[in-house]
Amino acid sequence: MSAARRTDGPDAGPRRVVLTGCGALSSIGNGIAEFTEGLRAGRVGTGDISVFDTTGFPSGRGHQVRGFDAAAVLRRVRPEATGRATRFAAAAARMALDDAGLDEAWLHERRGTVVVGTTDGEVGELDLLTESALTLGLAAFTGASLGRTATGGLALGVVRELGLSDVETSTVATACAAGNYAIGAGFDAIRSGRSEWALVGGADALNRKTFAGFARLGLIAPDECRPFDTGRAGLLTGEGAGLLLLESEESALARGAEIYAEVLGYGVNCDASHPTAPEEDSVARCIRLALENASVKPEEVDLISAHGTGTPTNDTTEVAAIRQVYGDRPPRTVGVKAMIGHTMGAASALGAIASALAVRYGFVPPTANHRTTDPDCPVDVVPNTSVDADVRIVQNNGLAFGGNNAVVLLGRHESPRGEYVR
């Protein structure tokens, strides 16, 4: 049994870490109830992008957060004074706190950790600042406009929104694996006793710079993202946030909290093999690191929430790495990006939330938009329709540019007496 799964106590070693609150903003729903419903239904959130002008691009489609009223959720952060990604992060943190059945006073009485992962930070604000500078010149560079561009503002936005002080705060910029990196950091902080709670995850907003970059790389799908499909033609950029409230098992049980799942362990590595393409052996090593850290055997894993971008290179490489670890009968492997798009720094955080929901509610979300599985991706992708299943342990993959890989293992929580606790 891993240290992460041992019983709390003065001589028991590292503490067990559980997930008790989730906050989600996505193209298929805002808030955990809508997000869960969207996953079960296999809802696809693709639509026309309106947050910036897509004129001149081959496609103007993506996954935009809609129906989100920041002013109705945020209490301290002023929406007009912050960037879109910061608003997402702060709102998702507020949602996670409420979902956990906690109030700010509980956080204030205990030392905590806030880690937010991102790919772009507030690049959308830089886009707007650049447009203004072309018209106004140096007059566009005011203190207020520059302040909205700070990447570190994502985590600080969470801190400001919740009125926190005794808290360790950081923003992690390991691209599309950043959400899992943040979860790992929070897991370590609680397991070691350095923090009593952690708000961790990722957030990113749609912006012209990233959209243009993927378009120039030829990675934007013309219609839909189709992970593991013979006809896949690329990804669709998206936006959103996923924030998770983690605490020790002892704390959660003492207050009678409902537990989504236990964080069993994680693995991270960086091979720096290629600026954009994943490397099979490195991804396989990262999976093995996570399994070892969690003391989980490959045959115990029921489901893999894949990085699954829908690009030809990622999908075949990721499946090859999975089969390198799991052999010829890998677990079901699904790509939720078909539904929510590639939300960059929020991607693996939202994937972790989807994984926890699968454990708690006993279902496997589908790989939407699927037609025919690529023979080079021989896995059960659970095409188009969710299925009920006894899901005990889920592996959540995050694979980023530059070879930054992060894998998190989540499992059904059992009490020290071996009882299943919801």
Side-chain angles (χ1 to χ4, degrees), residues 35-43 303 332 334 336 339 358 361-368 380-389 391:
F35 187 64
T36 304
E37 181 188 2
L39 290 174
R40 277 191 180 276
R43 184 180 302 143
L303 174 66
R332 287 166 163 158
V334 300
V336 298
M339 291 183 275
Y361 297 118
F363 77 100
V364 177
T367 302
D380 178 1
V381 302
V382 189
N384 302 317
T385 304
S386 64
V387 296
D388 294 333
V391 181

Side-chain angles (χ1 to χ4, degrees), residues 224-365:
E224 297 289 357
C225 174
R226 306 181 190 280
F228 314 116
D229 195 280
T230 54
R232 68 187 184 279
L235 56 82
L236 289 177
T237 58
E239 64 177 3
L243 268 289
L244 298 78
L245 191 290
L246 308 181
E247 58 185 299
S248 71
E249 176 198 55
E250 182 181 38
S251 167
L253 294 179
R255 68 183 188 85
E258 292 193 9
I259 295 173
Y260 282 94
E262 181 173 357
V263 184
L264 302 177
Y266 74 101
V268 296
N269 68 356
C270 179
D271 54 76
S273 174
H274 190 276
T276 59
E279 202 278 319
E280 177 188 334
D281 291 342
S282 179
V283 174
R285 283 195 299 273
C286 192
I287 294 170
R288 293 190 181 101
L289 285 170
L291 291 169
E292 180 182 0
N293 183 251
S295 289
V296 170
K297 299 175 182 178
E299 59 268 25
E300 295 178 309
V301 176
D302 301 304
L303 174 66
I304 297 174
S305 175
H307 191 60
T309 59
T311 61
T313 301
N314 175 89
D315 292 5
T316 53
T317 303
E318 185 174 13
V319 170
I322 289 168
R323 290 176 68 86
Q324 189 181 129
V325 175
Y326 288 95
D328 294 335
R329 300 186 66 183
R332 287 166 163 158
T333 301
V334 300
V336 298
K337 289 181 179 66
M339 291 183 275
I340 65 173
H342 195 333
T343 54
M344 306 299 153
S348 54
L350 287 169
I353 292 175
S355 300
L357 294 171
V359 170
R360 181 173 182 181
Y361 297 118
F363 77 100
V364 177

Side-chain angles (χ1 to χ4, degrees), residues 74 77-84 86-87 122 125 148 160:
L74 300 175
V77 169
R78 293 188 297 122
E80 70 278 7
T82 56
R84 188 173 175 87
T86 300
R87 296 196 294 271
E122 289 293 6
E125 292 300 309
R148 287 195 295 270
R160 288 199 305 272

Side-chain angles (χ1 to χ4, degrees), residues 119-135:
T119 295
D120 295 311
E122 289 293 6
V123 165
E125 292 300 309
L126 283 172
D127 286 346
L128 295 174
L129 185 56
T130 301
E131 289 180 11
S132 297
L134 291 173
T135 303

Side-chain angles (χ1 to χ4, degrees), residues 119-120 123 127 205 207-215 220 237 344:
T119 295
D120 295 311
V123 165
D127 286 346
N207 62 83
R208 188 194 309 275
K209 186 271 293 183
T210 297
F211 188 80
F214 280 108
I220 300 290
T237 58
M344 306 299 153

